[in-house]
Amino acid sequence: MRKRATIYDIAQEAGVSTATVTRVIKQDPRVKAATREKVQRAIDANAYAPSVTAQNLERGSAKVLAVVLPEMSNLYFSRIYNAAYWEADANGYSLRLFQTRENQPISREMVSELIRCRIDGVLFAGNIWSSDRRDLNDALERLKNYMPVAAICPPGVDLDCIRIHSDLVSCVRLPVRHLHTLGHRHIAFIGGSMQTKDASKRKYNFLEQLRLLDLPDDPAYHIEAGYDMEGGERATMRLLSSLERGRWPSAMVTFNDLIALGAMKALKKMGLHLPDDMAVIGCDNQFFCPYTDPPLTSIDLHPEEMAQSAVRELLLAQESSSQSFSMIRDATLIVRESCGAALGYRKME
Amino acid sequence: MRKRATIYDIAQEAGVSTATVTRVIKQDPRVKAATREKVQRAIDANAYAPSVTAQNLERGSAKVLAVVLPEMSNLYFSRIYNAAYWEADANGYSLRLFQTRENQPISREMVSELIRCRIDGVLFAGNIWSSDRRDLNDALERLKNYMPVAAICPPGVDLDCIRIHSDLVSCVRLPVRHLHTLGHRHIAFIGGSMQTKDASKRKYNFLEQLRLLDLPDDPAYHIEAGYDMEGGERATMRLLSSLERGRWPSAMVTFNDLIALGAMKALKKMGLHLPDDMAVIGCDNQFFCPYTDPPLTSIDLHPEEMAQSAVRELLLAQESSSQSFSMIRDATLIVRESCGAALGYRKME
DNA sequence: TTGTACGCGTTATCAG
DNA sequence: CTGATAACGCGTACAA
């Protein structure tokens, strides 16, 4: 491992001052061609590159944004990360990822770490909103003293920071209306876990939609399912086995595509055929949706755009210090074949 | 945005020197209880936390590892990242992700950036090995002057760095033997793109296996497919439509699970039924494998363990400067139902 | 037990 | 056009 050359070494070797070396590097025009060349030679000879750490200290900022996410098992989060990464990159910032341990919300240590690292702005996403409101607000208040804070969160979360909301109304209205149009009247909601703000919001909106469309609401039709395939599979088995066949719903709206995947497996195991015997709608429009059998109709929440906006606002907030901002990106229904719509089905009851 | 307190502010407020403040923070026992308390109060009052940037400058290292990956669309890479993240974390290091643009290999700028940031060790993964060997070696040589370098790469890559090899022999031998055992004789290989070291290695090993098992080798049976579902779907259509029905293979080994997903869709579109009409084996054992229809038999390359080893060796190499190391983690066949094995099928010809 | 003074590698300011 | 020098925030000898 070679010893790193410093700006002093270069200055000495070129017989100039450090200031001149900096000027050469910064392409400052007011430096004699001969001098420039001398310095450049020394730089090349030593493969010299200024230390970012020292630059950061001098500048008083490392030009780093942070994104705090629950462990990136779910592709939804890597989409957020990716979009944020390139948006930061485009603005000359780098992005550091902080992962929270297994469903643990933000810890005090993580907040400290964020502050100690002199992060220039932080974006939160994922279900950290379920944690104790007091703790969360404390953490936020502490952070806000030092950096702009943004969150991708359900609408109505009363956090005092830049809020980018996913459209949890459309997110459930769209599928319900779609199913209604196709003639379905008995629709189930297979959701996350209801302690979560996100899931409970969706369930609330779901019931609201049923009411609006004058559809029957059977309490047995909304059921917790966690956030992954296993959860979806189990929840579906539970739902169907707890009801006699005649009371089965004819369609299911799921919290996300992973749950839908599990649900579809359960349905197949029960001998049901999609979309004839059961319609299914997922959420997140993940990469595998076109490749399930049948291809899964889903909702796109546009996480990339949300992340991009978040980063932009974070960067803006650094100067204008307008810490308050709130926007909502509406959801889009992507119709495939898991409800039969693309096939021209129409449910008759 | 509050002005950050520095160690000077604290020292002044507590009426002591900066050295004492440091001692209190570092829990140095040789400091009078009264003084300690005074200082601690000042620290708390200002929510003071030492600047990591300054610490880094002083220490001469930021305790950062880097991992260079092609854009994380493929879950395979997030598994690597995640494992590396926690292993680094457990050792007091943080992990920075550098993504290469759309199939571009390592750029000169990225190498410079790595050096400028005083990264303490870098891990490469993904198909950057296809790039011009000269460029790659230059980049590596340059990097190795400043930090240990590790790579997760196909066996036989003659890179002079810490090499963690995925087992590209077992990775294709296992599926071929499995299929052979089940009575298949006409096996196709739907692979990445053959300019890639990885894919061409696998194809080579695939042919080797056919020879060993005395199976017929039809050139029409190996076909490029890229790396995603679309590629797999197209390749499969191409394969089948170019052959009259009698010459169709009875089984397909695919480069990865995404390709398998696409292939399964194509097969269904052609009216083929799995596993009766065609057996399929994927690679990577991704999360959705148990949820395809039928559940997809796949190979686990154990990317997590490879990443973990890589990080460990990187950390070790910092001191011992033993830059050369090479290990191989063998692959595991995960049998599900896409070949009928779990169902007790046996092909008769 | 505590304080002084310097180094870490840059950049910016001000003088020349 | 170029060179000293202070500052960035912290840790650490060394001294007291």
Side-chain angles (χ1 to χ4, degrees), chain A residues 100-337:
Chain A
T100 61
R101 299 236 178 222
E102 34 179 301
N103 279 341
Q104 294 295 309
I106 323 165
S107 62
R108 300 190 64 75
E109 301 89 61
M110 189 167 289
V111 172
S112 304
E113 179 76 359
L114 253 11
I115 295 174
R116 291 198 305 118
C117 289
R118 306 299 192 256
I119 299 292
D120 296 302
V122 59
L123 168 62
F124 291 96
N127 68 329
I128 17 186
W129 318 116
S130 45
S131 68
D132 184 278
R133 183 110 345 226
R134 265 282 284 298
D135 284 0
L136 202 57
N137 274 329
D138 286 357
L140 235 59
E141 281 315 312
R142 229 177 111 209
L143 277 175
K144 286 204 332 177
N145 287 326
Y146 299 102
M147 66 193 76
V149 177
I152 295 181
C153 58
V157 168
D158 59 343
L159 261 19
D160 184 20
C161 64
I162 298 169
R163 294 180 311 285
I164 314 288
H165 299 301
S166 36
D167 186 353
L168 260 30
V169 176
S170 313
C171 160
V172 51
R173 191 185 42 160
L174 256 22
V176 171
R177 301 217 153 216
H178 181 63
L179 291 166
H180 178 255
T181 306
L182 292 172
H184 291 272
R185 291 185 48 79
H186 301 279
I187 307 175
F189 177 66
I190 314 293
S193 39
M194 290 309 163
Q195 299 100 300
T196 283
K197 191 88 179 175
D198 192 327
S200 58
K201 273 259 168 212
R202 292 202 209 182
K203 177 174 164 186
Y204 176 85
N205 295 335
F206 175 75
L207 296 176
E208 177 88 358
Q209 279 308 310
L210 292 189
R211 228 172 18 75
L212 252 40
L213 294 174
D214 209 26
L215 293 175
D217 158 32
D218 190 330
Y221 282 4
H222 2 112
I223 184 161
E224 301 217 1
Y227 298 96
D228 54 16
M229 292 93 52
E230 290 80 9
E233 192 174 358
R234 270 201 300 272
T236 305
M237 298 300 273
R238 236 182 317 142
L239 172 68
L240 297 190
S241 60
S242 73
L243 261 34
E244 58 237 72
R245 192 139 192 147
R247 276 186 59 208
W248 283 0
S250 68
M252 300 173 28
V253 176
T254 66
F255 184 87
N256 67 30
D257 292 329
L258 299 182
I259 294 180
L261 214 51
M264 289 169 84
K265 179 165 189 174
L267 294 172
K268 248 164 237 171
K269 251 199 300 209
M270 310 269 307
L272 297 190
H273 195 264
L274 278 63
D276 315 74
D277 302 326
M278 182 75 75
V280 176
I281 299 190
C283 183
D284 285 347
N285 193 29
Q286 293 220 28
F287 74 96
F288 55 78
C289 287
Y291 293 89
T292 58
D293 179 39
L296 183 61
T297 292
S298 189
I299 302 288
D300 201 327
L301 259 19
H302 307 289
E304 288 88 355
E305 291 179 28
M306 293 196 291
Q308 204 172 345
S309 303
V311 167
R312 251 184 231 143
E313 292 306 321
L314 238 25
L315 257 21
L316 243 51
Q318 277 193 68
E319 4 240 76
S320 54
S321 78
S322 78
Q323 281 272 22
S324 199
F325 176 90
S326 159
M327 65 157 275
I328 184 162
R329 175 56 167 97
D330 51 346
T332 311
L333 177 73
I334 314 290
V335 177
R336 297 202 178 84
E337 295 164 28

Side-chain angles (χ1 to χ4, degrees), chain B residues 89-105:
Chain B
D89 187 77
N91 288 281
Y93 279 72
S94 61
L95 185 64
R96 269 191 63 179
L97 174 62
F98 291 79
Q99 304 199 74
T100 61
R101 301 237 178 220
E102 34 177 302
N103 279 341
Q104 293 295 308

Side-chain angles (χ1 to χ4, degrees), chain A residues 16-17 19-20 23 30-32 35 57-58:
Chain A
V16 297
S17 74
T20 302
R23 289 192 192 102
R30 44 184 200 175
V31 48
K32 221 174 13 181
T35 320
L57 182 59
E58 148 73 25

